[in-house]
Amino acid sequence: MRSPKDFFAPLAVGAPEPLRQIPVPPSRMIHFFDPSNEKMAAKVPDIAKKVDVLLGNLEDAVRADRKEAARNGLVSIAKSTDFGKTQLWTRVNSLDSPWVLDDLITLVTEIGDKLDVIMVPKVEGAQDIHYVDRLLAQLEARAGLTKPLLVHAILETASGVANVEEIAGASPRMQGISLGPADLAASRRMKTTRVGGGHPGYLVRTDPTGEDLNEGRTTYQQDLWHYTVARMVDACAANGILPYYGPFGDIRDVVACEDQFRNAFLLGCVGAWSLHPVQIDIAKKVFSPSPEDVAWARRVIAEMGDGTGAVMIDGKMQDDASVKQCRVVAELADALAADDPELAAAYDAATKEAS
Ligand SMILES: CC(=O)SCCNC(=O)CCNC(=O)[C@H](O)C(C)(C)COP(=O)(O)OP(=O)(O)OC[C@H]1O[C@@H](n2cnc3c(N)ncnc32)[C@H](O)[C@@H]1OP(=O)(O)O
Ligand SMILES: O=CC(=O)O
Ligand SMILES: [Mg+2]
């Protein structure tokens, strides 16, 4: 753990100054693609126009014999594509793998000026972030970068969850954390065989109504990820960084995907991963506040004046705590609407109708 006095000092001579505030451009969907897959790579320039974050994935889902092709493919895509306002991220291989050192050296040296965030998988504790932090500083200094690369950790090991607060605060580079439900399930020895989402066997049942224990007892499926998402959100909020839901592997089940994303949104996450083009619009819809919620939030803010005291609106009491929640929604809406005229019009129309 660095002393508080040294926390914002560069970790290598010539490395850029760490940021004091994490930038928060929209990141409703982190769209994964495999840079070694020619079909996917060909779609990147078009997809870049539709997503907030494009992520060149080098880790799981890329075959071992395609790791170098994926790394080189990402370098060439980054050099030849104008991403506009879309952020470019990468997910490097895990820190114990034979590929990660070359991933970091190659990417920072070749395209460090194009990359915004490096996602680090299977983070176990602050020590993993400290290792990446120093190495990035050395590579940034050597490459002459002027903007520091940010780091995003995947929460997908039991140790990672146990240490999530120290991970979130391990470095000024920490941009955010994503839940990785697939590896986390394996690490915890959970008995699921899926990539995220619920499980029909994880449920509660109402009490028996008579002698027959099977008669008239409704069951409710429970959320396997509630505890971890909530811990992650608290760790991120307490450290000024951003929480995300990760992958939803049942690509066909767009309905449950939307539910899972919305649970995360309501609990405080700012985005989720899209693994397939069909998940991009789901994330965009879910992680943009609804026009009705924005209209309500704006109304509460307007009626609360200086924000003190209490007022009744439509039979509901509002005070400092509810106006603060409304500001979260309204500020997010304004930030998203600034770059999206369609969303801006929908928010303004709903606001007009509600007032
Ligand atoms: C647990 C974890 O670590 S999750 C993160 C790691 N996993 C990933 O990154 C997975 C990324 N996604 C994928 O690999 C693919 O979407 C798969 C394997 C899930 C499905 O791929 P396909 O079977 O090809 O899906 P499908 O046939 O519906 O694809 C339709 C088109 O979209 C393209 N496509 C699919 N996924 C993507 C993507 N993520 N980005 C861009 N294009 C894509 C396909 O290449 C295909 O192109 P074509 O019409 O020119 O043939
Ligand atoms: O990497 C993601 C996961 O769920 O595992
Ligand atoms: Mg994983």
Side-chain angles (χ1 to χ4, degrees), residues 59-60 91 154 156 179-184 195 247 273:
E59 201 224 8
D60 295 355
R91 175 170 83 168
I154 312 182
E156 54 180 351
L179 173 75
D183 270 300
L184 182 55
V195 175
W273 301 1

Side-chain angles (χ1 to χ4, degrees), residues 31-34 37 39-41 43-44 47 55 57 59-62 91 154 156 181-183 195 247-249 251 273-277:
H31 183 75
F32 273 58
F33 75 99
D34 171 356
N37 178 321
K39 270 201 204 163
M40 279 194 206
K43 294 190 163 54
V44 163
I47 287 189
L55 179 144
N57 176 35
E59 201 224 8
D60 295 355
V62 176
R91 175 170 83 168
I154 312 182
E156 54 180 351
D183 270 300
V195 175
F248 188 88
I251 308 292
W273 301 1
S274 55
L275 303 184
H276 186 278

Side-chain angles (χ1 to χ4, degrees), residues 340-353:
D340 186 337
E342 230 174 88
L343 205 51
Y347 289 157
D348 289 345
T351 306
K352 210 166 154 198
E353 199 179 311

